[in-house]
Every structure is written in structure tokens, then in C-alpha cells.
Amino acid sequence: MSEELKVPTMAEYMAEGKQPEILFWVGSAGSYDDRAKKITKAFVRILNKAKVDFAVLGTEESNTGDVAKRAGNEFLFQMQAMMNIEVLNAYEVKRIVTCDPHSFNCLKNEYPSLGGNYDVVHHTQFIKELISSGRLTLEGNTYKGKRITFHDPCYLGRANSEYDAPREVLKKTNANLVEMKRHKSTALCCGAGGAQMFKEPEKGNMDINILRTQDALETQPDIIATGCPYCNTMMTDGVKAKEKESEISVMDIAELIANS
């Protein structure tokens, strides 16, 4: 992290006897994957700019257990979840914001039955809130006239019916928003969900991420916007496979907003 980014931990807040407005759940991708770290930094820049009182768990944050659950290891999932819930409840966390739809879905829908009840928000929803409440203002010239197509993450869209927040946020950049044939509830998966990220693709005519990248390329975009670190990887690989990386960039909504 460069020195201008302020990233306090929950432990630091606790020591001062204070509660932050939100807990930023970084997630494994956002912590370890070099590409996803840039998304994390972009979101922190937004939080700092909007003067949001936030904290992270730091070394106390563990994987949500989503991947274990999707891969069928319920025991490991519950072990991970219980550990996280213990930490979150000890800090009396109320509201969690994350850039990862998989963490979002898991914390929101699968933690309550294990005793973890929080108000969980995806970063695009939170950015929309910051803009609506006037805490964040955009210049709106950086991407003016650029063609942007948005790829719906499965766990934000179809699993949690959030299609509007990312699009409303993207419109604020004054870019030209173009939809793929398959979008919103008919969007195609990027191919990384359900722990598929960590295994080789099965036999078939074409990898899913290549097929999804074709959908995106049909809109003749300058930028493919994503709202998930895994989608970002898959679409980036797809663009490389089509040898279009010099013409088309794949960017998370947080990066587009931070640049605006």
C-alpha cells in the first residue's frame, strides 16, 4: 500500500473504543491476487476520498469458506465460517462491504444460519450510495464517449438480483453503456464460479470465458467492466486469447470510479 492510502484495522478501532461505519471485507483474491489488489486499492482510494470511516480485519480475516462449500466440503466451510463469525461478532460488526460477489453472497446468505447476521453490501451498491448522498462526486470526463459493456457477476446478478447498482454507477462516468445480448438475468457466467476458478476446464468446444468474451467483443467495447475479481481474471484471459489486449481493457467498476 502506498503511503497516501489510509487502511485502519478493526483492532486499532477497538483499541480506541470506536466503531467504524463499515468493515471492508477484502477477500482472498483482493488480498493475494496481484490484479485484484489493484481493485482493492482503487476501492480504498474511493473510501478515503469520500471520507468513509472504515476498517479491515487485516490478518484476522480468513477465507469466507465459499470455495470449500461450492466444491462440496461443507465441513471445511463451516469451520472457516465459524472462525470468521467469532471475530466479526467480537468486534460487533454491523455492516460489511466487499468487492467480491462470492464473499458478498456467502456473508449475506450463508452466515446468518451459523450466527453471523450482518448488513452486507457489494462495493457497487456502496459506491452508488456514496454518489447519491453527495459524499462522492465524479468529474465525468475521463471516460466520456468511451464504449463500456458490463459483465454481470453471477453471484451479484442472478444469485442476488442486483443489476441496477453497477449500471447506475457506470452511467455516472458519462461513458456509452452498451449491453451484451446476454445480460442481467440471462448473462453468461465467466466460467470461474463455484470453485471452477481452481481447476482445469472440462472437455468441450470452447472455454466459457472465451465464449463470454466473444459476447463482450460483439458490442465493440473500449472497456469491459466487471464487478468481481474472478470475472476480471476470466475476461482478461479471454481478451488475451482473442489478442485484443492492446485495444480493450478489462476494469473493475471501482477502478473506473477511482479514475474519475
Side-chain angles (χ1 to χ4, degrees):
M1 286 285 175
S2 49
E3 62 287 350
E4 76 268 15
L5 293 180
K6 290 196 290 291
V7 188
T9 63
M10 279 306 281
E12 288 164 13
Y13 266 88
M14 199 67 154
E16 292 177 32
K18 291 196 312 208
Q19 258 305 16
E21 180 186 338
I22 60 160
L23 170 79
F24 172 29
W25 186 274
V26 183
S28 303
S31 305
Y32 296 111
D33 180 79
D34 286 340
R35 177 64 187 90
K37 280 183 203 167
K38 293 180 182 166
I39 300 170
T40 303
K41 287 178 183 171
F43 188 56
V44 168
R45 268 168 57 205
I46 293 170
L47 293 174
N48 285 170
K49 183 95 175 122
K51 298 190 170 44
V52 175
D53 214 7
F54 79 99
V56 297
L57 285 174
T59 53
E60 292 183 277
E61 181 186 302
S62 175
N63 188 291
T64 55
D66 166 76
V67 175
K69 189 177 179 74
R70 301 291 162 248
N73 193 337
E74 184 63 25
F75 176 70
L76 179 59
F77 160 70
Q78 293 201 10
M79 226 162 62
Q80 297 264 193
M82 298 304 283
M83 236 162 49
N84 285 322
I85 289 168
E86 223 166 274
V87 173
L88 292 167
N89 290 353
Y91 282 129
E92 294 175 12
V93 168
K94 305 277 183 287
R95 196 159 202 231
I96 302 177
V97 179
T98 180
C99 298
D100 174 11
H102 299 262
S103 298
F104 166 74
N105 178 66
C106 200
L107 294 163
K108 179 174 185 269
N109 301 322
E110 287 158 356
Y111 273 35
S113 64
L114 298 169
N117 293 288
Y118 319 103
D119 171 20
V120 188
V121 183
H122 186 247
H123 72 310
T124 57
Q125 296 172 324
F126 193 68
I127 293 169
K128 180 188 152 186
E129 257 177 56
L130 292 176
I131 294 172
S132 313
S133 62
R135 294 172 71 183
L136 189 68
T137 44
L138 305 183
E139 323 266 275
N141 294 327
T142 320
Y143 297 104
K144 203 176 173 156
K146 290 265 186 242
R147 288 173 69 84
I148 297 183
T149 191
F150 174 62
H151 162 73
D152 287 280
C154 295
Y155 278 96
L156 183 65
R158 288 179 309 191
N160 288 286
S161 305
E162 178 59 86
Y163 302 111
D164 299 338
R167 288 172 171 81
E168 283 173 38
V169 168
L170 281 171
K171 281 187 187 131
K172 296 280 190 263
T173 62
N174 287 335
N176 216 338
L177 211 53
V178 281
E179 293 287 5
M180 300 184 222
K181 295 199 295 279
R182 295 185 258 208
H183 65 283
K184 294 191 174 174
S185 60
T186 61
L188 185 71
C189 174
C190 72
Q196 299 291 319
M197 180 80 179
F198 307 104
K199 56 184 269 300
E200 288 305 312
E202 284 146 38
K203 283 194 176 61
N205 311 340
M206 190 189 293
D207 289 1
I208 291 185
N209 65 314
I210 307 287
L211 185 58
R212 187 54 174 160
T213 304
Q214 281 179 6
D215 282 0
L217 296 180
E218 279 172 23
T219 68
Q220 300 177 325
D222 296 303
I223 298 164
I224 299 172
T226 56
C228 166
Y230 299 104
C231 296
N232 193 298
T233 300
M234 298 306 265
M235 299 304 280
T236 302
D237 287 351
V239 168
K240 280 180 186 154
K242 294 279 176 199
E243 300 185 349
K244 296 273 187 206
E245 65 263 49
S246 55
E247 305 145 52
I248 298 169
S249 42
V250 179
M251 292 175 81
D252 189 89
I253 290 182
E255 296 176 300
L256 292 163
I257 296 303
N259 294 343
S260 304

